[in-house]
Amino acid sequence: MKDFSEQAALYVSSLMEKVSPKDRGSLERIVAAGEKVMFSKDTHQYMVDMLDQEGDLADKLGHGAVQLIKLLMQQSNGTMPPVLVIPAASLLLLKACEFVEKTDGGMTMEIFSAALKLMIAGIREEVSKVQSQPQEPQQSPQSQAQPQGLIQGV
């Protein structure tokens, strides 16, 4: 049986094959921005504390990935391509699982798979909340010229 890191590499390879070549650079920038958030000195301890709390590991990982991708979407000021939300969140979830494997061991593809299912359901729930909100009136071109977030030009 392959270890987690080998299986994770196969997952990444399979996912990247499904992403359009023109979108791969954007996906890599989103994941890099997510890793900055996950592993920055300001937020890393929050992630560690969340993982150390009682409860199902897959649940904590899945919900954490949803919160992270929501933050990145907000920081992108609407520039994150919707088609990349789930692939980016999946890769960031995998990064979190690799962190757990390196620090505590015991990570399995079954835990990742369960977390992935929870993450996808959570993202769908968030999208349906946004879609059910009334649309804001169009902004004037001047008010749209706001500074870009963490992942400019995605």
Side-chain angles (χ1 to χ4, degrees):
M1 177 153 171
K2 295 179 181 172
D3 71 358
F4 180 76
S5 60
E6 290 174 356
Q7 292 176 325
L10 290 173
Y11 177 83
V12 170
S13 176
S14 175
L15 184 132
M16 292 306 282
E17 287 176 7
K18 294 174 184 156
V19 174
S20 163
K22 69 179 180 61
D23 288 331
R24 289 181 186 152
S26 294
L27 179 59
E28 289 170 4
R29 286 189 295 277
I30 295 166
V31 172
E35 287 182 279
K36 282 183 185 177
V37 172
M38 288 170 57
F39 299 111
S40 80
K41 64 179 181 157
D42 296 330
T43 56
H44 182 69
Q45 190 59 46
Y46 171 78
M47 182 179 82
V48 171
D49 291 344
M50 185 267 305
L51 290 171
D52 284 343
Q53 292 176 1
E54 288 294 318
D56 181 65
L57 181 58
D59 187 58
K60 292 184 283 189
L61 289 164
H63 286 93
V66 171
Q67 296 306 311
L68 178 57
I69 203 68
K70 277 177 48 180
L71 175 67
L72 294 174
M73 290 171 69
Q74 290 168 350
Q75 290 180 342
S76 78
N77 293 320
T79 63
M80 184 185 297
V83 71
L84 296 180
V85 170
I86 289 181
S90 300
L91 292 173
L92 290 166
L93 172 62
L94 192 60
K95 297 284 184 187
C97 291
E98 289 171 337
F99 172 78
V100 170
E101 175 62 21
K102 287 177 185 170
T103 57
D104 296 333
M107 180 54 61
T108 65
M109 285 307 285
E110 289 77 19
I111 295 170
F112 171 72
S113 180
L116 185 63
K117 288 177 185 175
L118 291 167
M119 181 204 75
I120 291 169
I123 290 172
R124 287 184 176 153
E125 183 179 318
E126 290 299 324
V127 168
S128 69
K129 284 180 191 176
V130 169
Q131 290 175 341
S132 67
Q133 293 176 352
Q135 294 291 324
E136 293 181 17
Q138 281 283 32
Q139 295 178 335
S140 69
Q142 291 175 335
S143 65
Q144 290 178 352
Q146 297 174 357
Q148 294 292 311
L150 182 63
I151 51 177
Q152 286 181 299
V154 175

